[in-house]
Amino acid sequence: MCNAFVSPVVNGRNNAYMKKTCIVYSLLAMTIAVLSFSCTKDKVTESYTFYRPIYQVADAVKANIKTDAPRPIKLTGKLAIRGTYLYLSELNEGVHIIDFSNPRAPINIGFVAIPGCVDLAVRDHYLYADCYTALAVVDIANPRATKLTKFINSVFPDRYSGLASDASKILVSWQRVDTAVSYRYDTKFDKTLNGIVLEDVTFFNASASYGGKSSSGSNSTGGSMARFALNGDRLYTVGWTDMNVMNVADAASPSLIKKITVGRLIETIFPYKNNLFLGSQAGIYIYSLNDKDNPAFLSQLLHVQAFDPVIADDNYAYVTLRGAAALGGSWLELVDISNLTKPVLVKQYTNIMTDARGLSKDGNVLLVCDGAAGLKVMDAADPANMKVINTVTGIKAIDVIALYGLALVMTEDGILFMDYNNPLDIKQLSGITWTKN
Amino acid sequence: MLKKLPVLLLLLITVTGFSQQQDTTSVSWYLSPAFTLLNGDHHVSQSVSLSTGVRMKSLQIGLGAAIDYYKIRSLPLYLDLKYKWRGKPAPFLFAQGGYNVAWALEHQHSTEKSSTGTTVYNNGSYFNAGAGAYVFRDGKEAVSVSLGYSVKKLTELYQVTSWAGGVWYYNNAKMDYTLRRISLTLAYEF
């Protein structure tokens, strides 16, 4: 390798010199190569988005829980109807109060700011609404001049976890943060260190819906997809796996009686007579309220995992399911509950729904919201042989409340007031449109 | 830059440590399968490659493809350059650069990060350079050993669903990988 074209004597001396030089250089090269091993750290740069909670002092938040000027409706939550007033939650913002004494000309009369509000119910002239983990009690005797009368902390701990529940602060908004973090490839990285709240995301999978007759006595209308349910002087609220039992005999001052564990993946609660029907992604759970402070488990009927609001009448429970790949993804189930301890699946109405959501029943008329396919009107005179007799198209129907011939239909764009006295000829009386973001 | 200095020094020393006589053979094709041991960050793996091109005097230019199993499996596609000296054993310098096509195995996806349960890899870049020597030569057939520094890059994309303020947010997230290793290659050339 180290040739030179000179005399053999000189060539020999040059070769020896070159060989020594080569050995030195080679050893040096190998040393440097070994040192280069320190440049073999693998790196990952992770770019992601998280949401940072923004807090406000609790006293400031409570001071703002009162009727303010009406706001445009942007993102709906749940409905409650009491008399001729519709209480509509704006997700995590508060409650819109709508006067529909004239269904042809409903009026948005005010807005009550309640951070974290999703679910609500009304008893006498008191509105119960969740304020993240707390329960706010609002006097709505005069809907145009409401006021906060009581604030109960730690009623709904399911609302978020991984976040310190400091009663002196209330979560009011979320800040989007885009960030990038670099680390060695073989190390674990815990995103919660950056403030992401590990919220129970499935807690709010049930979209807003109420379905059923108008309120009897002092309680607001119970429905198919709500998480709050009033039965007599008791308020029952469900979380992911538990149920709160609250005494609202004194409507102005509810008190927590107990919290019990119920099923799993619970999304909705529907009271009917002296029973509670809990809809979960796993099935239906039926509880007896013979002892109103101690709901007793009667039975369950499981199904494939899907979103499923449920309503009931004297003999049957009606369940819409969506989100399951099986059976076309969406269908209506009829369950015989004549024996509450042994519910029996009677029939599955498949291939007539594409995106079934909230539902409501009034006599022999079953109204089923079918997403973009509109509102399906079914003849339920013979529940085991129901047929679709009319469809209101051109709307993305999400929820419906049937009120003795007046249907309040929540759509993607607003609320429609419809006359269904003649189910074959449903007329739209009026509507309130949401503000597009 | 400081981290790359030892590598540059390695290349410089290798060049000056050997004689400067150049190869003067005429233009011809070559084909070179190779096996590479990759020693990186707490991980040792391997790759197999095949390159082909032309030899012109001291220079060799070609294209190569490999299957690289280091941490995230990929297919580097690269331009292959080699500068070699005459002698026995003949030293050479080499450089490879090009595209790193992602071909990740199922368990190499970070599905636990994704709300959809799936992630997608995007292609990246590939680079490898170093020095070596031919330990056997017979006409156009040769066996060489080389030591190099190799970097490959990939990007993994996934979606994160957040529920904040009662609203679903769907955001795209990504992870940019830079994988660095020392490569020890045994190649056969003909």
Side-chain angles (χ1 to χ4, degrees):
Chain A
M1 99 177 115
C2 304
N3 292 324
F5 297 97
V6 294
S7 70
V9 173
V10 175
N11 191 32
R13 267 190 247 130
N14 282 344
N15 279 346
Y17 172 77
M18 288 303 290
K19 278 181 183 173
K20 283 182 188 172
T21 306
C22 288
I23 290 170
V24 169
Y25 273 116
S26 297
L27 287 173
L28 192 57
M30 285 171 63
T31 303
I32 290 172
V34 169
L35 290 176
S36 296
F37 275 82
S38 65
C39 305
T40 55
K41 289 181 184 172
D42 293 334
K43 186 178 85 166
V44 176
T45 300
E46 189 165 3
S47 307
Y48 61 94
T49 299
F50 70 93
Y51 294 85
R52 181 175 287 139
I54 305 296
Y55 297 94
Q56 199 173 30
V57 175
D59 287 343
V61 172
K62 292 175 192 176
N64 281 330
I65 297 180
K66 57 183 171 55
T67 303
D68 281 335
R71 290 186 195 179
I73 301 167
K74 292 179 183 175
L75 189 64
T76 53
K78 306 294 177 77
L79 290 171
I81 295 176
R82 174 84 168 83
T84 58
Y85 288 97
L86 168 65
Y87 300 89
L88 173 66
S89 68
E90 175 95 28
L91 278 178
N92 282 345
E93 298 289 332
V95 179
H96 299 278
I97 303 174
I98 297 169
D99 179 356
F100 71 99
S101 52
N102 178 4
R104 295 180 184 278
I107 305 170
N108 186 353
I109 63 171
F111 182 79
V112 182
I114 306 176
C117 176
V118 176
D119 281 278
L120 66 171
V122 176
R123 176 172 169 79
D124 292 340
H125 57 87
Y126 291 96
L127 168 74
Y128 305 121
D130 50 355
C131 182
Y132 285 108
T133 58
L135 180 72
V137 182
V138 182
D139 185 342
I140 54 172
N142 179 359
R144 287 178 166 79
T146 62
K147 56 186 177 187
L148 180 71
T149 58
K150 190 166 184 179
F151 198 84
I152 307 171
N153 289 312
S154 304
V155 177
F156 312 108
D158 284 356
R159 286 295 297 272
Y160 42 83
S161 60
L163 193 67
S165 53
D166 181 351
S168 68
K169 296 178 188 171
I170 292 177
L171 188 66
V172 292
S173 65
W174 296 84
Q175 177 191 18
R176 173 181 170 142
V177 179
D178 295 317
T179 187
V181 179
S182 293
Y183 53 95
R184 262 176 94 170
Y185 182 28
D186 61 348
T187 56
K188 288 279 185 191
F189 182 65
D190 181 3
K191 279 194 182 142
T192 58
L193 294 176
N194 275 312
I196 286 183
V197 170
L198 300 178
E199 194 161 335
D200 188 347
V201 300
T202 51
F203 187 86
F204 303 108
N205 272 340
S207 62
S209 176
Y210 257 102
K213 294 190 182 295
S214 58
S215 61
S216 58
S218 55
N219 292 339
S220 60
T221 303
S224 67
M225 292 172 75
R227 286 184 175 270
F228 283 16
L230 282 162
N231 196 49
D233 58 4
R234 293 294 183 265
L235 172 66
Y236 303 92
T237 69
V238 287
W240 197 228
T241 59
D242 56 40
M243 175 163 56
N244 291 322
V245 181
M246 303 192 76
N247 183 345
V248 292
D250 177 2
S253 184
S255 59
L256 179 67
I257 297 172
K258 66 182 355 176
K259 183 188 290 285
I260 62 174
T261 300
V262 293
R264 63 186 187 94
L265 306 174
I266 305 297
E267 295 180 323
T268 66
I269 181 171
F270 180 79
Y272 187 75
K273 293 193 173 174
N274 221 23
N275 301 290
L276 291 175
F277 296 82
L278 275 56
S280 85
Q281 290 192 25
I284 307 166
Y285 300 89
I286 304 176
Y287 281 76
S288 166
L289 294 179
N290 286 336
D291 179 353
K292 59 187 177 182
D293 290 339
N294 294 286
F297 174 75
L298 289 179
S299 59
Q300 68 184 31
L301 183 68
L302 302 179
H303 57 57
V304 296
Q305 184 161 347
F307 304 115
D308 71 335
V310 56
I311 62 170
D313 60 21
D314 289 338
N315 299 303
Y316 295 98
Y318 304 80
V319 189
T320 56
L321 290 96
R322 66 184 174 91
L327 296 174
S330 188
W331 65 97
L332 172 69
E333 285 188 348
L334 182 71
V335 179
D336 185 335
I337 55 169
S338 51
N339 181 350
L340 285 170
T341 61
K342 291 180 183 175
V344 176
L345 177 62
V346 172
K347 189 166 183 175
Q348 288 177 325
Y349 290 89
T350 58
N351 300 318
I352 59 171
M353 306 286 171
T354 56
D355 189 20
R357 302 193 183 215
L359 68 171
S360 185
K361 187 169 180 286
D362 181 10
N364 291 332
V365 177
L366 179 67
L367 303 174
V368 182
C369 294
D370 194 16
L375 177 70
K376 299 265 167 71
V377 183
M378 302 183 76
D379 179 359
D382 179 3
N385 292 288
M386 290 189 290
K387 293 211 174 10
V388 177
I389 57 174
N390 195 2
T391 302
V392 178
T393 57
I395 59 173
K396 185 174 180 181
I398 298 171
D399 256 330
V400 62
I401 297 178
L403 282 177
Y404 302 119
L406 176 66
L408 280 73
V409 184
M410 183 184 297
T411 71
E412 188 179 52
D413 299 325
I415 284 188
L416 305 178
F417 295 83
M418 293 187 164
D419 179 350
Y420 67 89
N421 283 303
N422 180 0
L424 296 174
D425 183 24
I426 294 181
K427 295 182 176 57
Q428 180 176 330
L429 301 175
S430 62
I432 299 176
T433 306
W434 305 157
T435 300
K436 299 279 187 197
N437 287 331
Chain B
M1 187 60 197
L2 282 175
K3 288 185 180 177
K4 295 175 185 169
L5 187 58
V7 177
L8 294 173
L9 284 175
L10 169 65
L11 295 176
L12 184 63
I13 285 165
T14 306
V15 170
T16 57
F18 294 93
S19 68
Q20 300 298 304
Q21 290 190 356
Q22 297 178 351
D23 196 332
T24 57
T25 53
S26 59
V27 177
S28 62
W29 286 99
Y30 76 90
L31 189 66
S32 178
F35 174 83
T36 302
L37 201 65
L38 299 163
N39 187 1
D41 194 355
H42 294 101
H43 194 73
V44 178
S45 188
Q46 68 284 334
S47 76
V48 290
S49 62
L50 183 68
S51 55
T52 185
V54 291
R55 296 188 188 97
M56 293 178 298
K57 297 185 180 179
S58 305
L59 195 60
Q60 202 164 283
I61 301 174
L63 297 171
I67 304 176
D68 185 324
Y69 291 92
Y70 182 82
K71 291 195 174 175
I72 303 168
R73 187 178 66 177
S74 63
L75 299 172
L77 304 173
Y78 50 88
L79 180 68
D80 185 27
L81 298 174
K82 188 179 279 184
Y83 185 86
K84 50 191 178 179
W85 284 268
R86 198 170 159 184
K88 194 177 176 180
F92 61 83
L93 297 175
F94 73 93
Q96 298 167 343
Y99 210 45
N100 189 33
V101 178
W103 189 30
L105 295 165
E106 196 174 324
H107 68 271
Q108 293 170 342
H109 288 262
S110 306
T111 53
E112 72 283 357
K113 290 181 179 287
S114 171
S115 297
T116 62
T118 59
T119 69
V120 173
Y121 273 98
N122 273 1
N123 304 327
S125 60
Y126 171 79
F127 168 80
N128 186 21
Y134 285 97
V135 296
F136 168 78
R137 266 182 133 173
D138 183 12
K140 288 187 180 165
E141 289 189 3
V143 173
S144 66
V145 175
S146 61
L147 188 67
Y149 182 70
S150 173
V151 179
K152 69 173 184 179
K153 295 187 176 184
L154 291 161
T155 299
E156 187 176 12
L157 304 172
Y158 59 98
Q159 190 176 72
V160 175
T161 302
S162 304
W163 186 276
V167 179
W168 286 107
Y169 293 101
Y170 302 92
N171 294 301
N172 293 323
K174 65 170 183 173
M175 290 195 288
D176 295 308
Y177 296 95
T178 302
L179 307 177
R180 305 184 177 102
R181 50 274 167 96
I182 298 293
S183 62
L184 179 65
T185 301
L186 178 69
Y188 171 66
E189 196 177 300
F190 61 95

